[in-house]
DNA sequence: CGTCACTTTGACATTGATCAATTAACGTGG
DNA sequence: CCACGTTAATTGATCAATGTCAAAGTGACG
């Protein structure tokens, strides 16, 4: 088993700070940890938050680093990865807008986090945030809900890693992305869809527990079999969503949790 | 890829109810969801709880079933598994004493849960428990903490499933069990240890994303190489804990989260 | 002592990994 | 707008790890 190449390491400093953005206008207002906050609570958060940006490929935090903040992803895609001593890596989290980074009460990062696209984080210093957890039940409650959802997603992912074939893994991954894109447009996935993969082949391999060659081959196979058409490196045209789901190995009713 | 044989299905009814047990004497008093409750809170729980028992191999709930209770494992070992449409199964949770079963706010089971040994659950009907989540911050807080721990464990498990070799998977599994047995005795794992595997080869295969034949072969290989000695079907003697950790593929400091 | 469930071991097939070129897509500067 | 250079993606040939099918061994328990 060969180690996948690590994302190249660049300095971990943030590349920018942002001026004001009002929470009520925030694109993740209704999905993030703050989703259930009232306007008076929001204005409290307003005074505490600060923004940090990262460029594609940049590390956000490294496993074991001191981490004195927690954050919500506002824009972009970030990944959490774990590493074996010989360098093999496995992605263990894919953070999209509204997802939460960091753990209240823990002051060191448990995973490597990197930006795979331009990323903007809405950050809170950890200590004050821990305090919020005690004083604002809406935050604690929402965080529990989000953590339970993440646990469900992790378990779906475990099924994929442990038991699916390479082809099923690829089909499942594309299905997940298609579902999410549909959700963003507030529509149901189905029929013909055009989507954009948020990861390189190499990152897909890290996500799926494969090598990038196998990822490439199976993507090509799905293309050859008429399940998908490629459009540049990242673009995928799905001719029939149901057909793809059929390739994923899941139960017909599967993916409710994804 | 062949499906592992499912645990045989027996009627899902509980096999017994228990009389009183006082919370203050409960063996999981300081680790379960109720860990942070004060004595007045405990007496409230005392009036709501009820016990259910299950025999080895018995299903507790089936994916999709209505589930009108949540519970803590008091005694025994239970598993959560997911299934692909053709019957392949992957274990996604291993529930030990003090672990929590069910999700507040969700009325249908997301996974199959079965007893692998005699199991005793401390149960609460879901509706009243949901109410407790709002009125007793100690419960909600502890449940968040436990869920975050489970998420960490799930991510460790994902690394195992996605990137470890069969030998490393076996070594990792034995390491996890050894760590837990040490924790029960409030000692540090290390040196020579005698442990008891809580799962059959078949269940280990479901846990590790392998077949039972591969599990058996790799256990034999570790024996041949002098890392372990077998003692009956379930007994394992570890001659040197560090040696086993070295076989697991993890970083030297790994497993902090397990 | 026999039965049954679990485990081990063997022979062979298959999947996906590895090593190695080659090709395609995209950004840059002319 | 095009040629170039760089990075990502594809494809091919081969091999090792693990799955599959089959049979025999082991231990617990009635």
């Amino acid at each position: 088993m060969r180690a996948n190449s690590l994302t190249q390491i660049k300095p971990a400093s943030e590349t920018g700070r942002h001026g004001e953005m009002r929470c009520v206008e925030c694109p993740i207002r209704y999905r993030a940890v703050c989703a259930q906050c009232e306007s008076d609570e929001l204005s409290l958060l307003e005074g505490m938050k600060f923004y940090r940006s990262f460029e594609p490929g940049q590390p956000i935090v490294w496993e074991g680093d001191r981490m004195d903040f927690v954050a919500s992803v506002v824009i972009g895609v970030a990944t959490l990865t774990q590493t074996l001593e010989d360098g093999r890596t496995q992605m263990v989290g894919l953070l999209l807008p509204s997802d939460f980074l960091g753990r209240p009460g823990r002051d060191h990062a448990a995973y490597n986090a990197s930006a795979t696209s331009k990323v903007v984080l809405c950050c809170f210093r950890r200590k004050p945030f821990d305090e919020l957890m005690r004083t604002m039940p809406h935050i604690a409650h929402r965080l529990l809900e989000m953590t339970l959802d993440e646990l469900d997603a992790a378990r779906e992912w475990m099924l994929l890693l442990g038991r699916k074939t390479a082809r099923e893994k690829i089909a499942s991954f594309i299905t997940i992305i298609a579902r999410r894109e549909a959700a963003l447009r507030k529509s149901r996935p189905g029929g013909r869809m055009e989507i954009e993969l948020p990861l390189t082949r190499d990152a897909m391999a890290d996500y799926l527990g494969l090598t990038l060659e196998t990822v490439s081959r199976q993507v090509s196979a799905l293309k050859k079999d008429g399940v998908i058409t490629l459009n540049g490196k990242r673009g995928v045209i799905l001719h029939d969503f149901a057909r793809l789901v059929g390739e994923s190995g899941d139960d017909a009713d599967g993916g409710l949790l994804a």
Side-chain angles (χ1 to χ4, degrees), chain A residues 20-148:
Chain A
E20 297 294 297
M21 182 206 264
R22 299 188 50 230
C23 287
V24 289
E25 294 166 352
C26 179
I28 58 172
R29 167 76 181 89
Y30 294 105
R31 297 200 59 196
V33 265
C34 50
Q36 293 160 353
C37 292
E38 316 281 342
S39 55
D40 57 329
E41 295 172 319
L42 270 194
S43 52
L44 181 58
L45 296 179
E46 199 106 46
M48 294 172 53
K49 74 182 185 185
F50 58 96
Y51 290 97
R52 294 180 66 186
S53 308
F54 299 84
E55 294 302 312
Q58 260 196 327
I60 295 171
V61 287
W62 214 246
E63 183 181 342
D65 282 359
R66 180 163 191 82
M67 186 165 172
D68 51 358
F69 67 96
V70 296
S72 293
V73 176
V74 181
I75 293 169
V77 180
T79 61
L80 302 181
T81 58
Q82 289 207 107
T83 310
L84 256 20
E85 57 180 359
D86 63 359
R88 283 171 281 169
T89 66
Q90 173 66 50
M91 196 185 299
V92 297
L94 185 59
L95 303 184
L96 302 160
S98 83
D99 285 338
F100 190 78
L101 173 68
R103 174 172 172 165
R106 171 186 285 162
D107 61 352
H108 289 267
Y111 314 102
N112 304 324
S114 314
T116 60
S117 66
K118 187 159 175 21
V119 165
V120 177
L121 300 181
C122 173
C123 307
F124 296 86
R125 287 190 308 116
R126 202 173 52 74
K127 281 288 172 54
F129 189 86
D130 286 354
E131 182 60 25
L132 282 187
M133 291 285 295
R134 252 169 290 131
T135 56
M136 286 176 53
H138 284 151
I139 296 254
H141 182 262
R142 176 66 185 140
L143 187 58
L144 174 59
E145 202 169 69
M146 289 172 71
T147 306
L148 287 164

Side-chain angles (χ1 to χ4, degrees), chain A residues 10 14 28 47 77 84 95 97 100-101 109-110 112 119 133 165 168 170 184 186 188 190 197 207 213 241 249-250 258:
Chain A
K10 298 177 187 171
E14 73 273 28
I28 58 172
V77 180
L84 256 20
L95 303 184
F100 190 78
L101 173 68
N112 304 324
V119 165
M133 291 285 295
T165 64
E168 289 169 339
I170 300 293
L184 283 180
K186 297 179 194 298
R188 290 286 96 207
L197 299 177
Y207 184 106
E213 293 96 330
F241 179 77
D250 285 317

